[in-house]
Amino acid sequence: MGRTLVLGGGGITGIAWELGVLAGLHESGIDLSDADTVIGTSAGSVVGAQITSGAVLEDLYARQLRPPEGEIGAHLHPGVLARWVWAFVRERDPRRARARIGRMAHARSESSLAERRRVIASRLPAAEWPSADLRIAAVDARTGDRVVFGRDGGAELVDAVTASCAVPGVWPPAVIGGRPYIDGGVYSTCNADLAAGSERVVALAPIARGAGPLPSPADDLAALEASGARTVLVTPDAAAVAAIGPNVLDPAARAPSAQAGRRQAPEIAERIARVWNRD
C-alpha cells in the first residue's frame, strides 16, 4: 500500500466532522479521497463508502448541513457502556469479551435490522462496491474476531457498512452470510493497524482515546511509524468537541459538527500536505 486514509468511528457527528475536514482540506488543495487504500470503521465506513463512490465531496458535505430527515436519533446509555466494560473485565480475553458484547447486542437494540439497513442505505450514494480499495472493519458477534470486508469479500456494500455501524446495545447486529456482525469499533475505534505496510497514513479519528484493551489511534499510528510509515493523526479540536457535544448519535449535532470540521481543516492542512503530497 502507498497512501492510506484511515477513517475512525464516532457516530452521526463523526461522519459529519470527517466530511467537514475532508471538504476543507480539498478546498486547500489536498484530496485525501485519492488514497490508494481507504480503511473505514463505523462512522468511517460510511464516509469511506461515500468518498470512493465518485460523489462530489462538496455535495457530500452540503448534505450534512441539511435537516437530518430519515435519521434516527439514539443515545449510548451509560448502562450499555458499563456492560461493555464489565465484559472486558470479566472475560480478560478481549476476543471472548467481544463475543459477550455480541451476545448482548442480540438482546438489546433500539430499531429493527430492516429499519437500520434502510437508514444506512440512504446515506450511501452507490449500492455497489467502488473500484477503489475500500476496507470496512466489523466484528463477528459470535467469535469476537475482527473481520475486514472489501469488494471481494462476499458482502454487499450496504450490509458491510451496516455491520461496521452496528453499535451493540443501540443497533441490531447485521447479518451477512447467516452470521451476525457488530460495530468494528468494538475492536478498535480506528483500526489503523490495518494500514500496516503503507508508506503514508492519514487518520481522521473523531474518538481520540482508547479504552482498556481498545487501542488509541495514537498508539496504532506510533506502531506504524515504528515500522517506517509517515503518519498524521487528526482528532477534533476544542471547537469541534464542543460542536459534537455529549451524544455522538444525535442528528441535531450533525450540521455543527460538519462546520467545525471544515473550520479545523486549514489549521492542519500544512501538516497533512507534508506527509500526503508526493515528493
Side-chain angles (χ1 to χ4, degrees):
M1 293 186 286
R3 298 184 300 174
T4 298
L5 173 63
V6 177
L7 300 164
I12 290 175
T13 57
I15 295 171
W17 175 79
E18 288 179 356
L19 285 171
V21 171
L22 290 169
L25 290 173
H26 190 269
E27 190 175 36
S28 298
I30 303 169
D31 184 7
L32 294 183
S33 68
D34 68 356
D36 298 299
T37 300
V38 176
I39 296 169
T41 299
S42 200
S45 73
V46 175
V47 176
Q50 289 175 333
I51 66 172
T52 58
S53 69
V56 176
L57 184 54
E58 197 63 36
D59 292 343
L60 294 172
Y61 170 76
R63 185 176 179 181
Q64 301 302 303
L65 307 183
R66 300 172 192 156
E69 297 175 358
E71 290 286 356
I72 301 171
H75 195 281
L76 189 56
H77 299 290
V80 172
L81 290 173
R83 284 189 287 273
W84 288 26
V85 172
W86 175 242
F88 282 114
V89 169
R90 178 172 180 174
E91 293 293 347
R92 298 182 181 272
D93 178 350
R95 182 174 177 269
R96 289 203 303 265
R98 291 190 294 269
R100 178 178 286 274
I101 292 170
R103 291 193 294 274
M104 178 192 76
H106 278 288
R108 299 173 181 273
S109 67
E110 298 183 6
S111 73
S112 70
L113 178 56
E115 181 181 41
R116 181 61 177 161
R117 192 179 188 277
R118 176 191 60 76
V119 171
I120 296 296
S122 72
R123 296 175 180 170
L124 305 185
E128 303 299 323
W129 282 92
S131 58
D133 183 11
L134 172 63
R135 306 179 187 186
I136 293 176
V139 169
D140 187 310
R142 292 178 182 167
T143 66
D145 291 324
R146 180 173 63 183
V147 177
V148 182
F149 294 108
R151 62 175 177 265
D152 299 323
E156 293 187 19
L157 178 61
V158 66
D159 290 322
V161 175
T162 301
S164 190
C165 293
V167 181
V170 179
W171 311 123
V175 179
I176 299 173
R179 298 191 67 84
Y181 295 90
I182 56 175
D183 197 309
V186 175
Y187 187 96
S188 165
T189 60
C190 216
N191 287 290
D193 64 301
L194 293 175
S198 301
E199 298 172 0
R200 306 162 192 248
V201 180
V202 171
L204 305 186
I207 299 175
R209 297 180 180 179
L214 275 65
S216 71
D219 290 338
D220 277 348
L221 290 187
L224 294 176
E225 289 217 345
S227 66
R230 297 171 61 187
T231 74
V232 177
L233 172 62
V234 181
T235 60
D237 62 13
V241 169
I244 289 168
N247 181 12
V248 300
L249 302 178
D250 181 6
R254 187 173 78 171
S257 300
Q259 292 166 330
R262 186 155 200 163
R263 287 193 297 267
Q264 185 177 351
E267 302 171 5
I268 58 176
E270 183 178 349
R271 184 160 55 99
I272 290 177
R274 286 198 300 266
V275 167
W276 194 255
N277 291 345
R278 300 187 187 278
D279 297 331

